[in-house]
Every structure is written in structure tokens, then in C-alpha cells.
Amino acid sequence: MKEEAVIPVPNKTDANALDAVRQEALDRWRSRHGVSGRASVGAMIEAASIAQLVATDEGPCFEPDAFGELVTFIAELPF
């Protein structure tokens, strides 16, 4: 198995926007995991702004299971 490089999480300067790399990784994750109606868009955006990215042959990606768990956790927060 090829070792993946970890891409550091940037300092959050704009909570309302994702940079292009994180948006691309989020779009890739959503299309692969069919989550269009199952998860809150706000939770996905918040998760994408803080989740660890890994460099793959396809480009930066979120680790699928960990990212899904993070989205679920954020969506279930009471505030």
C-alpha cells in the first residue's frame, strides 16, 4: 500500500468559505459516498474546513470513514 502524505490543516480565516482544494475534496467525497440527502450541508462544510487532507494519486482527499464520522458528529451537535 502506498503511503499517503498528510496535508496540514490551514488556519481558519473565513468560516464561510472553503479553499478550492478542500471544496474539490468535499465534492469528490460527496460523489463517491452518495451523501447528497443524508447529511447536513452545513455539517459537511464545517467538517471540510477542519478535516485532515491526504495527498493521493487523484489529488487531495479526505479519509472516507473518518470524514463521514466527523460529518455525523457535527450534524448531531445540539447547537
Side-chain angles (χ1 to χ4, degrees), residues 55-79:
T56 67
D57 291 340
E58 298 177 306
C61 294
F62 298 115
E63 194 287 319
D65 295 332
F67 187 74
E69 290 173 7
L70 181 59
V71 170
T72 299
F73 175 77
I74 291 171
E76 292 176 350
L77 289 172
F79 49 87

Side-chain angles (χ1 to χ4, degrees), residues 3 9 14 18 20 23-25 31 34 46-47 53 60 62 67-68 71:
E3 187 174 323
V9 177
D14 184 355
L18 296 175
Q23 184 63 55
E24 180 182 338
S31 68
E46 184 64 27
L53 285 167
F62 298 115
F67 187 74
V71 170

